[in-house]
Amino acid sequence: MNPELYLSDLEAKPEALRSLAGALAEENPFLALPPGVTRVLFLGMGSSRYAAGVAALRLRAAGVDAYADYASAAATCPARQDTLVVPISATGASGETLDATARYAGGPSPVAVLTNAPGSPLAEAADLVIPMHAGEERGGVACRTFQHTLALLLLMEATLTGRDRDVPALVERAAEATADLLERRDAWLPRALELLDGPHGVYTVAPAERLSSAEQSALMLREGPRRPADACETGDWSHVDVYLTKTLDYRALLYPGSRYDDQAMDWVRLRGSTVLAVGAEVKDAAAAIRYRHDGDPDVALLTETLVAELVAAHWWSGR
């Protein structure tokens, strides 16, 4: 992994998103899915599983039986003709995902792989390959592929549920939002670095519908600069993480949008903890980072992790 190339990968996000939007406007790859799907099983590790967890929640809310499982689980849903198996791996070479996919290859369940490497071993085991169109991540960290996976899963949701949704236009708006954060980083990044730079790590918090943002943000802080970081769902925060605010110099990166934001902030005010909000103004947060289209929760889902990714890039490079 390379911090300078990782930063370059982040800076290339808007261009990559526009390329993805163009590809999806030309062809919806999910129209090739077989008919009769009543259950969807996502398999993946790390960033792939984070994205899949949000996709599964959204599909269940739309009435589709959907699960996002660790590919490393010893067993999960049985193979059935109406069960679509969706392994996700940017490299197409994740050992756990390859092992899990092997249980379904050649069986009754159709296998549709999401990967950034169409010629990979994982792609060879698929009935359908969905390319991520993220380009090479030369920094060695899954950042653009995470963003593109989410976008593709939103298109998959729209296709499976018959929802009339212009996903290419959404991806274009996410490109504009991403470019806005990058272009104005000199205005917001120094303050973000100051607020999050505490002795006890960073805690990332997001609503269940965008939990992947908190999980990916924490991973970026661990993977690059190797700093302690952990993710929590906003409502659950008051049951599992609130205790840390009493004993630690607690620094949180909050992605607002949960009905339980105020509940968490009540404890933050009481304990004098530090919160940096992204995408909306939050009462008593130390600061808020805004960006273009941040009022659209789907744009936020595709965009907001860039804040933590840029913080990670600067800490990692020692800037």
Side-chain angles (χ1 to χ4, degrees), residues 143-252:
C143 52
R144 292 200 306 268
T145 48
F146 171 74
Q147 191 176 36
H148 286 221
T149 296
L150 284 167
L152 286 164
L153 292 178
L154 290 175
L155 180 59
M156 179 182 180
E157 173 201 337
T159 305
L160 286 176
T161 61
R163 183 182 178 190
D164 184 15
R165 182 75 190 277
D166 190 346
V167 174
L170 168 64
V171 175
E172 288 281 3
R173 291 197 300 277
E176 293 171 355
T178 301
D180 182 45
L181 277 173
L182 285 166
E183 290 164 4
R184 294 188 301 103
R185 72 186 111 162
D186 288 346
W188 61 261
L189 185 55
R191 180 65 169 151
L193 292 166
E194 174 191 352
L195 290 173
L196 297 177
D197 191 11
H200 301 131
V202 178
Y203 297 85
T204 59
V205 186
E209 294 76 13
R210 304 196 323 272
L211 183 57
S212 59
S213 295
E215 293 172 319
Q216 175 73 359
S217 295
L219 174 60
M220 293 298 95
L221 295 167
R222 294 192 301 266
E223 188 171 354
R226 308 297 168 98
R227 295 218 182 185
D230 198 17
C232 191
E233 194 276 329
T234 310
D236 210 27
W237 185 92
S238 298
H239 301 270
V240 299
D241 265 22
V242 61
Y243 311 106
L244 300 177
T245 62
K246 191 169 185 177
T247 56
L248 303 183
D249 181 352
Y250 191 87
R251 311 289 180 103

Side-chain angles (χ1 to χ4, degrees), residues 26-189:
E26 283 188 14
E27 180 184 13
N28 177 353
F30 295 104
L31 292 176
L33 290 174
V37 170
T38 63
R39 173 184 290 168
V40 178
L41 171 64
F42 297 104
L43 298 169
M45 303 297 291
S47 297
S48 299
R49 188 183 59 81
Y50 302 158
V54 167
L57 177 63
R58 292 175 66 111
L59 282 170
R60 289 195 300 273
V64 177
D65 195 16
Y67 306 87
D69 283 349
Y70 288 91
S72 55
T76 182
C77 296
R80 294 191 331 203
Q81 195 168 6
D82 64 344
T83 299
L84 174 66
V85 178
V86 186
I88 306 173
S89 171
T91 64
S94 168
E96 299 89 349
T97 307
L98 283 167
D99 289 346
T101 304
R103 297 199 292 265
Y104 296 95
S109 293
V111 176
V113 163
L114 266 68
T115 183
N116 204 41
S120 63
L122 186 62
E124 292 176 2
D127 300 303
L128 176 65
V129 177
I130 311 294
M132 292 179 180
H133 297 290
E136 180 187 3
E137 291 175 318
R138 296 188 302 145
V141 177
C143 52
R144 292 200 306 268
T145 48
F146 171 74
Q147 191 176 36
H148 286 221
T149 296
L150 284 167
L152 286 164
L153 292 178
L154 290 175
L155 180 59
M156 179 182 180
E157 173 201 337
T159 305
L160 286 176
T161 61
R163 183 182 178 190
D164 184 15
R165 182 75 190 277
D166 190 346
V167 174
L170 168 64
V171 175
E172 288 281 3
R173 291 197 300 277
E176 293 171 355
T178 301
D180 182 45
L181 277 173
L182 285 166
E183 290 164 4
R184 294 188 301 103
R185 72 186 111 162
D186 288 346
W188 61 261
L189 185 55

Side-chain angles (χ1 to χ4, degrees), residues 58 170 209-210 291 293-302 304:
R58 292 175 66 111
L170 168 64
E209 294 76 13
R210 304 196 323 272
Y291 55 90
H293 307 307
D294 63 12
D296 183 334
D298 286 346
V299 171
L301 177 68
L302 297 178
E304 59 196 0

